[in-house]
Structures are given as C-alpha cells and as structure tokens.
Amino acid sequence: MNNFLWIFRHYLKKNFLTPANLLVIGLPIIFMLTFHLLNNYLLELLGTEVVLLYGIGVPMVLGFQFFGADLTADWLHHDMKGPTRARLLVSPVAPRVFYAGVMLAGWLFNVFYGSIVVAITAAAFGETFGNYGLVLLVLLCLSFITQLVGVLIFYFTKDEKSGTRLSYVFGEIMIGITILPFVFPDLFDTNGPAATLINHFPTNVGLNIIYNNNLLYNLAVMLGIVALLSLVAFIIGRQRNDNL
Amino acid sequence: MLASMKKVVKRYGEQTVVNHLNLDVIQGEILGLLGPNGAGKSTTINILCGLINADSGDVSLFGQKQNVKNLRVRHELGLVTQDITLFNELTVVENLRYVGGLYGLRSADLNARVDEVLDFIELNDHCKKKPKQLSGGMKRRLNIGCALLHKPKLIIMDEPTVGIDPQSRNHILESVKKLAAQGTTIIYTSHYMEEVQAVCDRIIIMDLGRIIAEGTVDELIKNTGHESTVHLIAISPSPALTQQLESVAGVKQVCLAGNKYTIISNADSGNINRITALAQQYGGIAGITEQARSLEDVFLTLTGKSLREGGGHE
C-alpha cells in the first residue's frame, strides 16, 4: 500500500466514523418523511389529492451531496493548517497527496451515502429515478464537484470556523436552488434568464441528466463544470502549496 | 557533518529573522539551540526541516540539499514540535500507526515499531486512550513517540517539555539521553536552561538571527567575560561598609536588603577575599557565598535578556 492509499484509507474510515456525515443520509430522509406524512394528512383532511413538493426526493439527494464540502474543508483546515500541519509536512509525503487522499475518500464516501439515500427514497417513498446508471454517473460527478468546492473553500478561507461557515452557506444555497423549481414550478417553466441560470447549476444539470432532458448537452455541461473546477483547484493549489 | 547551514538568510517583509547563519550539526551529538524570543530559532528549525525555504544560502541534510520539495531526506528526520501535533480522533496506538504509515512502515514492521515506541515512551497502559484523555506529560511523550517511529538519524526537538510536570520532564530528558546513546543526533531547544545544561554536548546561542556563541557549557562559561555575584550577610551592616564595598576595584553594584548584601563584580576578580576582609573590619560576617557561574549568566551577558523573558516563540 503506498502513501496515497494509506491516507485515503485513513480519511475513508474517518468519514464513516464522523456522526455529522449521517446528516447527508438523515436530513433528506427526514424531509421526505415529513412531506410524505403531510401529503397523506392533507389527502385525508381535504378528501382530495394535494400534490405537495411531489418528486422532491431526487433534488434532495443531489442537493445534500454539497454538505460533503464542509468536511473536506474542515479536515484540510485542521490537518494542513492546524496543529498537525508540521507533523504532516515534515513527513515524506507531498501536500498534493494529502489533498488527493482526503478528496478521494470524501468523493467515494458521498457517492456511497448518496446511493443509500437513493435506495431508501425509491423503496420507501416511491421516488422514480429512471436510469440508475445515469443516477450513479450524476452522483459521481456531483460528489467530485463537492470535493473540489471543499478544497477551494479551504484555500480561500482563513480557518476551520470560516471554512465551515462558508461550506454551510454554500450547501444551503445549493439545496435551495435545487428544490426551488419544485416549490415554484411556474417561475422556471419559462426560458427567462433566471431559469437558464438555475438550469446550469450542477444539481439542476444533474436533475436534467437523470430525467433524460437534453441528455448529451447536460452531460457536456456537467463534465465541463468538473473540468473547470479541477483546473481552478489545480492552479490555486500549486500557488498555495509553493508558499506553504 | 550531518547537517549544515551556510550563510542562510530568511526575511519576513522588512525583518531579517535569520541573518547569514552558519551552523553545523555533528553526527551523534546533542546540540542545544538557545536564544531569546525572536532570536530566529524556530525559523532556523523550520528551514532545517524543510518546512520553509531560506531566501538565500545553502542548507544540506545528510549530504543532500534541503528544501520544501525534498521529500527523500525526511525519512531520516524526526521533528518534535513545540505544539502538540496529535490526531485527536485517534487513540494513542492509532496515532503512532498512522504517522508510522506516512513514513512507509507497514504490517509487521509497523506493529513491531509501534510496540517498541510505546515501550520507549511508557504509554503501553494508555494505548487505547485518545489524546484528550491523556495528561499534558503523556501527550508530550506521545508527541515525541510520533517523531521516533521511523528511527530517524536526526531528531529536532523544539521545546519538548513546555508546560509539563517535573516527573514527565525527567522522563523526557532521560529519553533524550537514551536516544543519543543509541547514536541518534539531536537538536534540542528549550526555555529551561538547566535542561540544556543537563543534556546537551554542545550549545549554540542565537540572537537576532545570528549565532553569538557556541561551545560546551564549560567553554561558554570560560570564554564569556561576565559578572559574578557575591551574597554577604553582615553582622553590622552600615553605610560605611556599603561605601567601602563600592570602592573595591571591579565591584559594579552593591545592594543592601536588611543585613544581606548582593555584590556584583567582574568575574575572576578575586573580590570575595577583599569583601570578606572588609566585612570583618566592619563588624563581622554571618555568611558569604559566591554564586557559581551558570549558563544562565552567560546567556544574560551575551543577549542582555533572560531566556524566559516574554514567553511564546518566534
């Protein structure tokens, strides 16, 4: 096992042992359950079917992926800028290997947790995901974007606290943007600038891929976002690591 | 020569923290690095470890050029940091295993080495505990253990005994001696002069980014002209006696508190005999002692500062 795998294994284990990560599974399921019960209650109360946030399970799964950025930024802050910085930097492992280890662990962990949420929402709440191959592809892309965002948050914030704050704001914005078209569908039926902008956010691009809307175009956009963020993280990473 | 720095300069903005520093580390020695706050010790250590690059000058370690990109030399280098650098989510044994793994140790080799280090730092009974469950001294020992796993040829210890009880301090000092006896070269910095005096073979005193003196403790004391202090308890202290004492050649200062005189005079002036004679003339002596010259005196003379002035580190 080389050093990269050693570090990857360490952070993968840490992902599984971090209770906060249960939020990625727990929160979308709690929301789904709440909406499900509310729908049933309104159905009984009014005697007619009320469609309340129908189909919100898929955007929930995608939106909550972005909370993964928080832990990536936190751990990099703690380990690479915090008390253990000197211990790691004096070891014969290049900083980029640490970043790669943290990112890969977070990436695969979030895909795994996302898949569990997909399975639960499909089985328990009857959410339809269509082609599960495309769902996995979207999860792989979104989770990777999440890790890149986590690394960028780490580069651009001073400490763990400010990193956490920015990650949470970012995660909440992403969830909000993802579910917005479901809450106000009329607003996003048009081809106006707001709809165009929202439709090019990673989660919404992911939704379009899953729903097979303009598949090739959206796949290209998703891969473009991955490539662009990777390039930015690489360039900034080189500058920052040269000045460690 | 295990490590050497030639004309090394490091600046932060306008401030020159390390100023054309020349330093050699001889294999097998325990080298003490002393200096007041802001002397440039930590920066020197960081350059030597490859944590930061020097602005100019040459740094070599084990015959290789040292800089932040050189990862090969780090297999032979151990750093005991002043701050506790432990992973709080891991137990004692997991901390050692993880750090050992970073140095390429795996499976049976890693297990054997972790056991040896646990024995060495005497934390066998606490190996399942997490750092927050350990005392300050135990954390320091674990911090040292993490730097020893890969059997480095050179260990740099930056204030390894800060904030711990005397028992743990003694344990760490014994460990330093044991490591040296096994052939490990050690660079040791501390704010505790008596520690440096007790363990180091050779001492370098830095101030303002430069080396201002180096040698063994005896050499430093011998080579540094400084003052000696005589404590005299007079039976009948008087202004006349004070005046007489002040007039002795080489005496710089006479202080009287109650019946106790503190007399500072040039070292090796032989003034204790003259002071004794004078005090006998003016009513007699209840006691007289000449304070032995120490490393602390040398340090004070050279830098004009006490080693523990200010606190913190540069």
Side-chain angles (χ1 to χ4, degrees):
Chain A
M1 191 190 294
N2 64 19
N3 280 334
F4 168 71
L5 290 176
W6 184 259
I7 292 160
F8 163 72
R9 198 182 75 160
H10 169 75
Y11 285 104
L12 189 64
K13 195 175 161 192
K14 195 170 169 175
N15 266 298
F16 277 103
L17 295 175
T18 301
N21 259 334
L22 287 172
L23 287 178
V24 179
I25 286 184
L27 279 179
I29 289 170
I30 289 168
F31 281 126
M32 290 291 298
L33 187 64
T34 309
F35 294 138
H36 192 73
L37 293 174
L38 201 58
N39 273 338
N40 285 347
Y41 174 73
L42 290 175
L43 180 64
E44 278 179 25
L45 192 73
L46 301 176
T48 178
E49 193 173 62
V50 176
V51 179
L52 181 70
L53 300 177
Y54 176 75
I56 204 161
V58 186
M60 281 279 189
V61 172
L62 303 188
F64 272 89
Q65 284 284 310
F66 280 88
F67 276 114
D70 172 41
L71 280 186
T72 302
D74 266 11
W75 290 348
L76 288 175
H77 264 300
H78 187 270
D79 292 355
M80 294 301 280
K81 282 187 188 167
T84 51
R85 177 182 176 275
R87 169 77 58 229
L88 296 178
L89 290 182
V90 84
S91 74
V93 182
R96 64 176 180 277
V97 178
F98 283 102
Y99 297 131
V102 175
M103 280 179 65
L104 183 71
W107 181 31
L108 296 185
F109 175 82
N110 277 338
V111 170
F112 172 70
Y113 260 30
S115 306
I116 290 176
V117 183
V118 167
I120 292 173
T121 47
F125 305 112
E127 288 287 336
T128 49
F129 285 89
N131 184 335
Y132 282 97
L134 288 179
V135 174
L136 183 62
L137 181 68
V138 168
L139 280 179
L140 283 167
C141 289
L142 278 182
S143 181
F144 192 68
I145 289 171
T146 298
Q147 295 308 308
L148 290 169
V149 168
V151 171
L152 288 172
I153 288 173
F154 160 70
Y155 284 140
F156 284 107
T157 50
K158 197 176 69 181
D159 53 27
E160 209 172 323
K161 206 173 164 184
S162 52
T164 303
R165 211 175 292 142
L166 186 59
S167 309
Y168 269 74
V169 169
F170 178 77
E172 280 153 16
I173 288 173
M174 291 311 291
I175 290 170
I177 285 173
T178 314
I179 62 169
L180 213 56
F182 290 81
V183 184
F184 305 107
D186 295 341
L187 282 177
F188 296 95
D189 277 349
T190 60
N191 284 325
T196 308
L197 183 70
I198 294 289
N199 272 324
H200 285 83
F201 266 78
T203 41
N204 299 67
V205 174
L207 280 174
N208 285 326
I209 294 171
I210 289 173
Y211 293 142
N212 219 338
N213 297 334
N214 211 353
L215 184 63
L216 286 178
Y217 172 76
N218 281 301
L219 273 174
V221 171
M222 182 67 97
L223 294 175
I225 294 170
V226 171
L228 184 69
L229 281 174
S230 301
L231 188 67
V232 172
F234 178 76
I235 292 169
I236 295 169
R238 276 191 71 154
Q239 288 172 351
R240 299 290 161 100
N241 291 331
D242 281 348
N243 298 314
L244 269 174
Chain B
M1 214 64 69
L2 204 73
S4 102
M5 298 174 89
K6 301 258 180 267
K7 295 182 181 173
V8 170
V9 176
K10 180 72 186 174
R11 294 187 186 88
Y12 289 114
E14 295 292 300
Q15 195 188 1
T16 304
V17 184
V18 175
N19 194 356
H20 294 89
L21 184 84
N22 293 308
L23 184 151
D24 290 319
V25 183
I26 301 159
Q27 189 158 2
E29 73 173 343
I30 308 180
L31 174 67
L33 197 57
L34 291 176
N37 294 314
K41 301 187 300 288
S42 293
T43 307
T44 303
I45 285 174
N46 286 341
I47 293 171
L48 208 49
C49 289
L51 292 176
I52 53 173
N53 279 334
D55 294 335
S56 63
D58 294 322
V59 184
S60 76
L61 216 56
F62 317 114
Q64 294 180 48
K65 192 173 174 167
Q66 171 67 314
N67 57 43
V68 292
K69 303 273 183 200
N70 188 352
L71 301 177
R72 279 172 300 168
V73 294
R74 297 180 191 199
H75 284 284
E76 312 292 348
L77 177 70
L79 174 66
V80 178
T81 50
Q82 184 176 353
D83 298 320
I84 302 280
T85 49
L86 300 174
F87 297 89
N88 290 325
E89 73 278 13
L90 302 179
T91 62
V92 168
V93 76
E94 286 168 345
N95 261 286
L96 293 172
R97 284 185 61 80
Y98 179 52
V99 174
L102 296 177
Y103 286 87
L105 295 169
R106 297 288 184 270
S107 47
D109 288 345
L110 179 60
N111 291 337
R113 201 54 203 135
V114 166
D115 288 343
E116 281 171 32
V117 170
L118 275 173
D119 280 342
F120 187 79
I121 58 177
E122 293 180 14
L123 285 179
N124 278 312
D125 297 339
H126 305 277
C127 64
K128 298 276 169 63
K129 289 181 180 170
K130 290 191 173 173
K132 67 180 175 189
Q133 296 169 292
L134 301 176
S135 68
M138 287 176 186
K139 281 184 203 168
R140 286 268 162 211
R141 273 144 61 187
L142 179 56
N143 206 34
I144 292 173
C146 287
L148 304 180
L149 280 154
H150 55 296
K151 290 189 178 171
K153 285 181 188 162
L154 171 66
I155 299 176
I156 298 175
M157 295 184 155
D158 191 6
E159 311 246 2
T161 59
V162 168
I164 57 169
D165 56 280
Q167 198 186 349
S168 292
R169 172 168 295 138
N170 288 338
H171 181 276
I172 289 172
L173 294 179
E174 286 307 312
S175 305
V176 172
K177 287 178 188 168
K178 270 191 225 168
L179 284 168
Q182 290 164 10
T184 312
T185 307
I186 297 167
I187 298 177
Y188 191 94
T189 82
S190 175
H191 269 87
Y192 300 100
M193 199 72 78
E194 61 279 10
E195 282 181 9
V196 175
Q197 205 159 348
V199 299
C200 294
D201 303 317
R202 190 164 68 95
I203 293 162
I204 284 176
I205 299 178
M206 285 182 72
D207 197 18
L208 302 171
R210 288 173 181 273
I211 291 175
I212 53 173
E214 65 179 293
T216 62
V217 175
D218 290 342
E219 283 168 354
L220 286 170
I221 290 172
K222 194 177 163 193
N223 296 341
T224 313
H226 62 91
E227 297 145 351
S228 70
T229 306
V230 175
H231 298 283
L232 166 72
I233 303 171
I235 292 171
S236 308
S238 63
L241 174 58
T242 307
Q243 204 174 2
Q244 285 297 318
L245 290 171
E246 282 171 343
S247 65
V248 173
V251 168
K252 292 180 171 180
Q253 196 181 355
V254 178
C255 297
L256 176 63
N259 63 342
K260 289 179 188 168
Y261 282 99
T262 303
I263 303 146
I264 298 171
S265 67
N266 287 336
D268 303 324
S269 58
N271 274 342
I272 190 159
N273 297 331
R274 292 184 202 106
I275 290 165
T276 308
L278 274 173
Q280 295 287 13
Q281 284 175 30
Y282 285 83
I285 295 172
I288 187 163
T289 53
E290 186 172 23
Q291 197 175 303
R293 285 174 286 175
S294 67
L295 193 57
E296 186 98 41
D297 298 321
V298 173
F299 189 85
L300 202 60
T301 307
L302 288 170
T303 66
K305 297 165 199 161
S306 158
L307 190 58
R308 277 169 239 178
E309 250 172 38
H313 58 100
E314 73 269 26

